[in-house]
Amino acid sequence: MTRSLYWADGYVQKLHTAQEAIAMIRPGKRVFIGSATGEPQELVRALSAATMRLSGLEVVRLMSLETTSLSEIADKTLDHSLNIRTIYLGSADTEAIARYMRFITPMNMSEIPGLFLTRKLPIHVALIQVTPPDDFGWMSLGVSVDVTLAAAQSADLVIAQVNPRMPRTMGQSFIHVNNVHVLVEHEEPLLTAELRKRSGAAEWIGKHIARFVEDGSTLQIGLDAASQATVKGLADKNDLGFHSQYITDDVMHLYAKGVITNRKKGLNEGKLVASCAIGSENLYEFLHDNPGVDFRPSDYINDPFIIGQHNRMVSMNVAHTIDLTGQVAAEASKHTFFAGVSGIPDFVRGAKRSKGGKSILMLYSASKDGKRSRIVPSLDGTAVVVPRGDVHYVVTEYGAVNLFGKSLQERVLALIGIAHPDHRDWLFNAAKEARLIGSERHLGEATKGIYPIHLEETIVRDGEEITIRPSKPVDERRIQEHYYNLNKKDVQLRFFHDKNSFDRSDVETRSQIDYIKDLTLVAIVGEFGFGKVIGVGEYLLLIESNIAEVAFSISTAYQGKGLGKLFLRKLARAARENGISGLVAYTAPQNKAMVALFKTLPYKVKTTFDGESLMLKCRFDEMADPVGA
């Protein structure tokens, strides 16, 4: 490149119209177009207009919003004028994407800059969009650094649209006038993107996920209504950090409210770190000259080694479909802004390397019309984005599970438990046919159960967190272990006789439940998905009387900590909400603790002894007499 004595003189010499700039592109060249909201629209329009004189052109792009449909031109000309190479990883699900599926080049986002810089995929022309130069000749790539910087650094011909509306972002976002061959001054609004309206399902997904995000966590957040609903659910957290591909309006709002402070990230502390911004004009104004925001290229942002250096890295991404073994496909859709773009595997693996990190994949349990389950028996013919071995947390509007370390049978039971109730029977039968679960297994009424998250509660006893929650199908083995660990006396009090074996029939009915006629609560200590059951409280509806029979068992080390009282209070609340008339319990006469526990309820308790056991009974429409009355 010939340089003038002073960059400002060179700037003037390099000025051309868009048409003149595009005319410099020769047939057969590979042309990169700046990605997402950083797309140089004026240059793309000029390129589109010139396609009839060009042949053999290959357009390379990442996450284009298709303001000018080059894909359509490629289709109409049978790829004669130009061919498209879209760097994207995921399943092409919508009609428009599926029509152009041949253009997709699956790659991990972290590897794309290296593909350009090593010239394994030579970039002949880079069409980019930049800010006007500062006093030293530096122009910022603004909202789109990701793979654009590497494309510009490696291209033979760099054509830059200079747009004063592009925010000047800090970090590794700059390119010098001397390193650009052609400049086209054209002011126009940047592309903006509005997320689709959050559904009730998205809100529930957000509530489930928010429970896993601890104060001081570092976040990576995908692009989807469910992701943004999750962000909204984090408003009560403290000292969160941010390291992600995309900054959105909701992230900006959390930063403005002081929820995201970046003080405890462990890396790049004090900085919002991202490679791209997608959102409103307000977001772009927020980014302009903001020293608290650091833009970096994708080979840094998406490097699993870099991701893993953050404290409590929580990766939250949207999946389109998951099969019963845990294989994940990601969605390609204009509504989710290509939620499956290829950064997901990088962050899934990086978050797992982080101390205290979590990888969370969220998906809707069914299609919008409810007819198709998003949890399927197998991903036949669909691109796998995340292999089953990399999947940890999976969340739908019906609950959350941790698949890490789980057998295929445990995964089946866990995922069916968070599937849409209308599809659980079908999934269960398909799993049997595929021999993923034993032929003797059954779900019964559990296929209709909707997990009652409002019954969840975490308490602290002697400095240890104990979570009380409704049981799930995946809890079967842990409940079994709890019974085996009870001492002889507690077994007798619970089952009214000596018992040395607790086979599946003893625990299956306590994990395969419908939450209405049959409800089991468990008390768990330890990490989600790996916790130890230290208490079980349950009720079973007696149909003829509309009274629910309750029973409890609590590990010796946790007795006297108020767990029985908490169990009973929650079971009574759930029974009333489900239209049950009252509770009954049978216990040994010497079990004074159970008698005292039952009498803590605000109802009249009737006690009857039949010569062998003591029956305690109450009705919810018979309140106890006030103390002192």
Side-chain angles (χ1 to χ4, degrees):
M1 183 184 301
T2 302
R3 296 183 181 179
S4 60
L5 295 176
Y6 181 50
W7 69 262
D9 297 328
Y11 181 93
V12 175
Q13 293 174 8
K14 294 173 183 178
L15 286 174
H16 291 80
T17 67
Q19 292 71 27
E20 291 170 344
I22 297 301
M24 299 178 190
I25 301 175
R26 305 267 68 85
K29 297 299 183 180
R30 182 174 293 111
V31 179
F32 172 85
I33 297 177
S35 61
T37 53
E39 180 180 308
Q41 301 167 71
E42 176 68 3
L43 298 181
V44 173
R45 286 190 291 267
L47 177 66
S48 175
T51 51
M52 296 312 294
R53 73 163 181 82
L54 294 167
S55 63
L57 215 63
E58 180 174 84
V59 171
V60 180
R61 64 188 182 188
L62 170 74
M63 197 178 171
S64 170
L65 299 183
E66 282 277 78
T67 54
T68 301
S69 184
L70 298 179
S71 298
E72 188 174 334
I73 293 171
D75 223 24
K76 286 181 178 179
T77 63
L78 302 178
D79 299 344
H80 173 74
S81 295
L82 58 87
N83 181 43
I84 307 293
R85 183 187 295 270
T86 298
I87 300 175
Y88 166 84
L89 181 61
S91 59
D93 185 68
T94 62
E95 181 182 349
I97 301 290
R99 190 186 315 144
Y100 306 127
M101 192 171 183
R102 67 186 186 276
F103 299 145
I104 294 171
T105 302
M107 284 196 69
N108 289 326
M109 185 79 79
S110 57
E111 297 174 318
I112 298 171
L115 183 72
F116 298 161
L117 293 169
T118 61
R119 295 190 66 83
K120 291 177 180 177
L121 187 72
I123 301 298
H124 303 123
V125 182
L127 305 183
I128 64 175
Q129 185 173 200
V130 296
T131 64
D134 63 15
D135 291 342
F136 306 99
W138 290 101
M139 303 178 292
S140 172
L141 290 168
V143 297
S144 179
V145 174
D146 45 43
V147 302
T148 304
L149 181 62
Q153 289 172 336
S154 61
D156 300 325
L157 174 64
V158 181
I159 302 174
Q161 177 180 336
V162 181
N163 186 355
R165 298 203 187 186
M166 174 68 83
R168 183 174 181 269
T169 57
M170 301 291 101
Q172 227 174 317
S173 70
F174 293 95
I175 185 168
H176 199 273
V177 168
N178 290 340
N179 295 320
V180 174
H181 301 85
V182 181
L183 296 163
V184 176
E185 292 184 334
H186 183 83
E187 180 175 350
E188 62 183 331
L190 296 186
L191 294 171
T192 58
E194 296 288 338
L195 283 170
R196 61 182 176 181
K197 186 178 180 182
R198 300 172 181 127
S199 64
E203 298 288 348
W204 273 112
I205 289 171
K207 289 177 182 177
H208 288 303
I209 292 177
R211 295 177 296 133
F212 300 125
V213 179
E214 304 169 84
D215 288 347
S217 295
T218 304
L219 308 179
Q220 178 264 327
I221 304 167
L223 291 175
D224 188 86
S227 300
Q228 302 312 312
T230 300
V231 175
K232 183 181 177 183
L234 301 177
D236 294 329
K237 304 294 181 179
N238 298 294
D239 281 328
L240 298 181
F242 189 79
H243 177 98
S244 186
Q245 287 174 249
Y246 309 108
I247 293 181
T248 64
D249 284 72
D250 284 333
V251 172
M252 172 184 67
H253 294 150
L254 285 185
Y255 182 84
K257 292 176 181 177
V259 175
I260 293 178
T261 64
N262 299 300
R263 291 187 299 202
K264 298 184 178 181
K265 291 174 63 177
L267 186 68
N268 298 317
E269 291 187 343
K271 301 283 188 179
L272 279 167
V273 181
S275 64
C276 188
I278 297 180
S280 68
E281 290 184 0
N282 287 337
L283 174 64
Y284 305 151
E285 290 178 11
F286 163 78
L287 297 173
H288 183 65
D289 274 336
N290 188 336
V293 183
D294 218 2
F295 273 71
R296 302 285 188 99
S298 295
D299 52 357
Y300 180 88
I301 295 294
N302 290 75
D303 184 344
F305 178 75
I306 296 294
I307 295 166
Q309 292 180 53
H310 292 85
N311 295 328
R312 296 178 178 175
M313 187 76 207
V314 180
S315 167
M316 297 180 284
N317 289 290
V318 174
H320 178 254
T321 310
I322 185 171
D323 73 16
L324 290 175
T325 70
Q327 296 185 113
V328 173
E331 185 176 21
S333 146
K334 64 182 180 181
H335 298 297
T336 59
F337 307 115
F338 296 70
V341 80
S342 51
I344 293 179
D346 294 325
F347 276 98
V348 165
R349 290 167 184 153
K352 291 190 299 182
R353 293 182 179 185
S354 165
K355 185 177 181 180
K358 299 181 180 76
S359 163
I360 302 173
L361 293 169
M362 60 190 95
L363 72 159
Y364 298 105
S365 65
S367 58
K368 192 172 182 180
D369 59 10
K371 294 181 179 179
R372 289 177 290 119
S373 177
R374 297 299 192 196
I375 299 175
V376 298
S378 62
L379 289 180
D380 295 331
T382 305
V384 174
V385 173
V386 186
R388 62 174 68 95
D390 286 337
V391 176
H392 281 192
Y393 293 83
V394 180
V395 181
T396 74
E397 66 270 32
Y398 291 102
V401 294
N402 186 348
L403 300 186
F404 182 62
K406 303 297 186 293
S407 68
L408 292 184
Q409 180 165 264
E410 289 172 324
R411 287 172 175 235
V412 167
L413 294 174
L415 289 169
I416 289 176
I418 61 172
H420 193 287
D422 291 349
H423 300 291
R424 291 178 188 172
D425 273 328
W426 166 67
L427 289 169
F428 192 77
N429 292 330
K432 277 190 174 182
E433 291 179 11
R435 298 184 178 180
L436 293 174
I437 54 176
S439 59
E440 79 285 356
R441 304 300 295 255
H442 67 87
L443 278 180
E445 291 297 308
T447 59
K448 302 177 180 63
I450 297 177
Y451 184 77
I453 188 175
H454 67 281
L455 294 177
E456 285 195 1
E457 183 177 353
T458 298
I459 61 174
V460 178
R461 295 290 185 270
D462 298 327
E464 182 178 34
E465 286 191 350
I466 303 174
T467 298
I468 313 293
R469 64 162 175 79
S471 70
K472 305 173 184 178
V474 75
D475 292 324
E476 181 183 288
R477 175 60 185 169
R478 289 185 286 185
I479 294 175
Q480 187 179 35
E481 291 174 347
H482 164 70
Y483 287 146
Y484 273 111
N485 289 327
L486 290 175
N487 62 37
K488 184 176 181 179
K489 177 184 175 183
D490 289 331
V491 170
Q492 289 174 335
L493 289 175
R494 171 61 186 85
F495 295 99
F496 300 104
H497 62 275
D498 289 337
K499 190 174 175 65
N500 298 314
S501 177
F502 302 93
D503 58 26
R504 181 173 293 158
S505 62
D506 290 307
V507 296
E508 192 171 43
T509 56
R510 293 169 176 85
S511 58
Q512 315 292 4
I513 56 179
D514 68 359
Y515 301 120
I516 297 175
K517 294 180 292 185
D518 183 7
L519 173 63
T520 299
L521 301 176
V522 290
I524 297 180
V525 294
E527 181 184 348
F528 180 86
F530 293 92
K532 175 183 177 183
V533 172
I534 49 89
V536 177
E538 57 195 294
Y539 79 54
L540 177 64
L541 178 63
L542 306 174
I543 303 293
E544 65 281 358
S545 63
N546 197 36
I547 297 290
E549 181 180 347
V550 297
F552 307 92
S553 60
I554 297 172
S555 300
T556 303
Y558 290 88
Q559 293 175 7
K561 297 180 184 289
L563 296 183
K565 185 176 181 179
L566 194 55
F567 273 141
L568 187 59
R569 176 170 60 83
K570 287 183 177 292
L571 290 172
R573 173 189 173 186
R576 287 195 65 172
E577 291 174 347
N578 292 327
I580 296 172
S581 301
L583 302 178
V584 63
Y586 296 90
T587 187
Q590 67 270 26
N591 192 354
K592 295 180 181 179
M594 183 64 171
V595 176
L597 177 64
F598 220 76
K599 289 186 176 180
T600 62
L601 291 170
Y603 312 109
K604 290 182 179 180
V605 177
K606 297 179 181 179
T607 305
T608 306
F609 181 60
D610 63 5
E612 293 185 1
S613 62
L614 198 65
M615 181 182 76
L616 306 168
K617 185 177 182 180
C618 69
R619 293 184 60 88
F620 298 142
D621 58 358
E622 296 179 354
M623 303 301 293
D625 294 330
V627 178

